[in-house]
Amino acid sequence: MQSMQQELVRSVLSLLYKVWKKVKLLRSSADCNNRKNQLQSREYEISKAIFNLSIDLASPACLEPDVVRKSIFGHAESNFENFVLAYWEKSPNLYRRRQNTQNDDPVFAALNSAFNLSTAPDAIIESFIKGLVSCPAIASDELDINSFLHEVHGSLGDAIKYRQDIRVLRTEEPSDQTSRVCVGEKHFFDDGTVFLDEDAFAEKCKHAFKNGYSIALRGMEFRSEKVAAIASALANLFGQPSVGANIYFSPPRSQGLARHYDDHCVLVWQLLGCKKWMIWPNPKPLLPRLYEPFDPLDCTLDDNSGGVEVLHEGDMMYIPRGYVHEAHTDVGESQMNAYTGYSLHLTLAIEVEPPFEWEGFAHIALHCWVEKQKLGGSRFDRSRAKEETLLFALVLHVAIRLLSNNDPIFRKACIVAAKLPSSSSCTTVHLRALRSSQRSTFDEIIRSIEKNCSFKEALKSIELAVQEKNDELFQWMSWLRHLPQEGDAGLRIDFCNILEALEELVEAFSSNPEQALVGFTGFKSRFCRYVVYEDACESFETLLQMYRTTRNQYMRGMLALHGGARVS
């Protein structure tokens, strides 16, 4: 398919989309009861064909990272550098927009047209409710789009599902002010509800909105080309695989989501109306990790300790992960605008996947150094390589993980792959400042590894997993399977069957643990002394591109399933 002309592919996609929509209508018709199973099979075959044909298409609505950078952070080249050094994963920051500059902003203009902001609430709801299909989650470390298609066989292109794709909810009013932090959310629909009748679903959402419920739609980067272009550019700017995008539409005098914190950083973009935000500082030194369980909120959180900001149209606010926040549309009569108090905002979630935290970069650096040792001469012959290289490397991987559970620096995002424009000498200066900051962080991490990585603690956790025949606590290693390993199978760690490697390690070290400790200490010291930062950067960017390729394929496939106009 890669050899086919893109215009021909687009024409075929447009036709397939029309056929697919007609088949969906036929299947829902009462006259087709006897052939519904056959039609359902055909419907999936068509949706899979649309998905497959679209995954390698060039995006027609591409935005350069520099355009998004200027729109969000300002036109000066130093603005993004200043943001990263002063606020990124440290503290919130608010960006005010002058009303007369919004019309000249191509990014804000694209969002304005995408959501039909000049219309009434009912029309706005229809603009992002109609034509939706479900966007099932793809595994974070899945790099084969065909494996994803196999997993969703028979359900690709299905109607949206409650909670997975959309939430319609409101925060219950507390019985007294002291219990406000512990109030819960009330949902308009039941979990897992599937919305087969699109028109009836839209009417229910309008009814819910009129009764104080907010509408939260996930995965806007898979449903709107214009949002997808912004999310992709932002991901490139921060050197991450992807950026998620959600839309929130709230009625007057309401609170949608209850007070909470996120495991990812968020840029909140106010598109319509205004909203009052309360944000509390993060009291914990450790940033919350993506995909890990959330700690319960402190029910004694003092309202007076939080900062208050009111976002108006065009304003953007950055909220780091871990910062507790809530938002309301009850901003006071004096601040009500022509839209009578309702609010529409877009969130751009910068999710730092495990390989792209500094802990992940440390694992990549270790892997690169070990691969060099395999090619380093005769003293690493086959009989000694497992003990001196692979097994010690495995222990050090585990020790780094244990260290990262307590050392805050390991959880921060690594942005060595951040993409800044290189068109001017001024930009080069700021890019050099960012790179210097990243290199300093790496040097600090290496010093921490040499000083604090414990062989005994790592070996103890490995022995426990082997004893219980349970490798669940080591599944974080699964992404390491994507890093290339040289040599035959005997000189590789099988990260897909990590328990077997752990068993081999325990067997090798159990006879003389003191000697193993001496050997590990020397191995760790050599790694910390001779690791090459530039090698790790190269492998980091290669892995990032692998992740990004799969995410982009998923995004293009889902965009194609969300409308013929987007692929024609």
Side-chain angles (χ1 to χ4, degrees):
M1 288 192 293
Q2 291 178 343
S3 63
M4 296 173 65
Q5 293 182 0
Q6 292 216 350
E7 288 308 310
L8 175 60
V9 174
R10 292 182 189 278
S11 298
V12 172
L13 280 169
S14 181
L15 177 61
L16 276 175
Y17 184 80
K18 293 173 184 175
V19 172
W20 181 54
K21 297 300 281 187
K22 287 186 177 182
V23 170
K24 289 169 76 75
L25 286 173
L26 281 172
R27 187 163 67 88
S28 63
S29 170
D31 299 329
C32 296
N33 286 331
N34 295 332
R35 302 191 69 182
K36 278 189 176 180
N37 289 336
Q38 184 180 355
L39 282 170
Q40 185 172 9
S41 174
R42 292 289 181 265
E43 182 183 327
Y44 170 71
E45 289 172 7
I46 299 171
S47 63
K48 183 180 179 182
I50 292 171
F51 191 99
N52 271 322
L53 280 169
S54 64
I55 60 177
D56 292 317
L57 281 182
S59 174
C62 183
L63 280 171
E64 291 296 326
D66 196 32
V67 174
V68 176
R69 176 186 64 81
K70 291 177 180 178
S71 179
I72 295 175
F73 301 104
H75 284 256
E77 283 88 348
S78 60
N79 287 344
F80 179 70
E81 172 211 344
N82 291 339
F83 167 78
V84 171
L85 296 178
Y87 301 106
W88 174 241
E89 297 182 325
K90 295 176 184 175
S91 67
N93 193 37
L94 176 64
Y95 295 91
R96 293 286 185 199
R97 289 290 182 270
R98 293 179 180 175
Q99 198 68 28
N100 59 0
T101 64
Q102 291 181 25
N103 296 332
D104 300 326
D105 185 333
V107 180
F108 190 83
L111 292 173
N112 196 309
S113 63
F115 297 111
N116 210 6
L117 299 185
S118 59
T119 57
D122 284 0
I124 292 174
I125 291 172
E126 287 189 2
S127 74
F128 58 79
I129 290 294
K130 293 294 183 75
L132 295 180
V133 299
S134 183
C135 293
I138 183 170
S140 65
D141 60 351
E142 179 59 78
L143 301 187
D144 182 359
I145 199 67
N146 291 311
S147 296
F148 163 77
L149 289 171
H150 180 73
E151 284 184 13
V152 297
H153 178 78
S155 63
L156 188 66
D158 275 0
I160 59 171
K161 185 182 295 184
Y162 194 71
R163 286 255 191 193
Q164 176 182 279
D165 300 288
I166 194 168
R167 291 169 292 167
V168 182
L169 73 168
R170 69 184 184 193
T171 293
E172 295 287 83
E173 286 295 325
S175 56
D176 59 86
Q177 192 63 29
T178 59
S179 63
R180 183 174 187 86
V181 72
C182 297
V183 297
E185 297 167 346
K186 182 178 181 181
H187 289 257
F188 192 78
F189 298 99
D190 295 330
D191 282 4
T193 303
V194 177
F195 307 105
L196 298 176
D197 188 329
E198 190 176 87
D199 292 332
F201 173 55
E203 291 304 313
K204 288 180 180 178
C205 285
K206 295 173 189 176
H207 174 72
F209 187 83
K210 290 180 175 68
N211 284 274
Y213 287 83
S214 295
I215 301 170
L217 180 60
R218 288 174 168 160
M220 288 307 302
E221 74 276 24
F222 309 133
R223 309 178 196 277
S224 164
E225 258 188 1
K226 291 171 182 176
V227 175
I230 295 166
S232 295
L234 200 60
N236 288 335
L237 186 63
F238 279 93
Q240 300 301 315
S242 59
V243 165
N246 299 341
I247 199 79
Y248 296 88
F249 195 30
S250 299
R253 297 174 297 281
S254 71
Q255 178 182 348
L257 273 63
R259 190 176 297 183
H260 68 285
Y261 69 89
D262 296 308
D263 58 7
H264 52 266
C265 293
V266 177
L267 287 165
V268 180
W269 206 332
Q270 190 70 26
L271 303 182
L272 189 65
C274 51
K275 206 162 197 179
K276 182 173 73 175
W277 290 77
M278 292 188 68
I279 307 174
W280 287 263
N282 181 12
K284 301 176 182 178
L286 292 172
L287 294 170
R289 273 198 176 113
L290 204 61
Y291 310 126
E292 290 192 353
F294 284 81
D295 294 329
L297 290 184
D298 183 358
C299 286
T300 63
L301 196 64
D302 182 8
D303 280 1
N304 295 324
S305 65
V308 178
E309 295 287 357
V310 176
L311 267 64
H312 300 270
E313 288 170 27
D315 291 344
M316 177 172 281
M317 182 167 59
Y318 167 69
I319 305 175
R321 49 181 163 148
Y323 277 67
V324 176
H325 55 275
E326 65 182 24
H328 311 257
T329 49
D330 54 342
V331 295
E333 293 298 327
S334 63
Q335 293 172 315
M336 292 295 187
N337 60 10
Y339 298 104
T340 63
Y342 57 79
S343 160
L344 182 74
H345 74 261
L346 177 75
T347 62
L348 297 162
I350 306 169
E351 301 174 333
V352 182
E353 302 282 351
F356 308 108
E357 288 182 334
W358 274 109
E359 183 206 331
F361 191 87
H363 291 299
I364 292 172
L366 173 58
H367 175 86
C368 292
W369 184 79
V370 168
E371 288 302 300
K372 273 192 171 182
Q373 306 317 298
K374 292 182 182 179
L375 305 174
S378 59
R379 79 183 184 93
F380 285 98
D381 58 50
R382 182 185 175 97
S383 63
R384 296 178 61 191
K386 284 187 180 181
E387 181 178 350
E388 291 194 355
T389 306
L390 300 184
L391 298 183
F392 285 145
L394 189 54
V395 177
L396 189 51
H397 277 302
V398 174
I400 290 171
R401 176 66 173 188
L402 294 175
L403 177 59
S404 74
N405 289 333
N406 300 303
D407 191 334
I409 195 171
F410 283 84
R411 295 201 181 191
K412 293 182 178 292
C414 176
I415 54 175
V416 298
K419 299 296 182 187
L420 286 181
S422 55
S423 57
S424 70
S425 58
C426 181
T427 301
T428 303
V429 170
H430 296 299
L431 183 59
R432 190 180 299 122
L434 278 178
R435 287 177 174 168
S436 176
S437 168
Q438 297 294 291
R439 178 59 191 258
S440 296
T441 301
F442 176 73
D443 291 341
E444 185 178 346
I445 280 173
I446 292 300
R447 287 193 294 270
S448 181
I449 289 173
E450 180 154 33
K451 180 180 178 182
N452 300 315
C453 273
S454 168
F455 174 79
K456 290 184 177 180
E457 287 184 16
L459 187 60
K460 182 179 178 181
S461 68
I462 293 170
E463 288 173 337
L464 183 62
V466 170
Q467 181 181 343
E468 296 179 352
K469 299 288 185 182
N470 182 4
D471 64 351
E472 185 176 343
L473 292 179
F474 292 88
Q475 289 306 305
W476 59 267
M477 282 187 171
S478 63
W479 65 267
L480 290 166
R481 73 187 187 276
H482 298 308
L483 298 174
Q485 296 189 71
E486 299 295 334
D488 58 35
L491 292 175
R492 301 177 189 174
I493 300 173
D494 184 1
F495 291 106
C496 295
N497 184 17
I498 196 63
L499 189 59
E500 183 178 314
L502 298 178
E503 289 172 344
E504 185 178 345
L505 187 153
V506 170
E507 183 180 350
F509 291 160
S510 60
S511 60
N512 195 337
E514 292 303 320
Q515 182 179 341
L517 172 59
V518 172
F520 172 81
T521 302
F523 174 88
K524 180 179 69 172
S525 178
R526 290 193 300 275
F527 162 68
C528 292
R529 187 180 306 171
Y530 298 117
V531 61
V532 179
Y533 174 70
E534 289 74 16
D535 289 348
C537 287
E538 184 178 345
S539 292
F540 180 90
E541 294 210 31
T542 299
L543 185 65
L544 173 64
Q545 191 55 50
M546 293 165 66
Y547 270 68
R548 190 171 284 165
T549 296
T550 308
R551 303 294 176 85
N552 286 341
Q553 288 177 326
Y554 176 88
M555 182 181 68
R556 294 188 197 108
M558 295 310 307
L559 284 172
L561 292 174
H562 272 92
R566 296 188 175 97
V567 294
S568 60

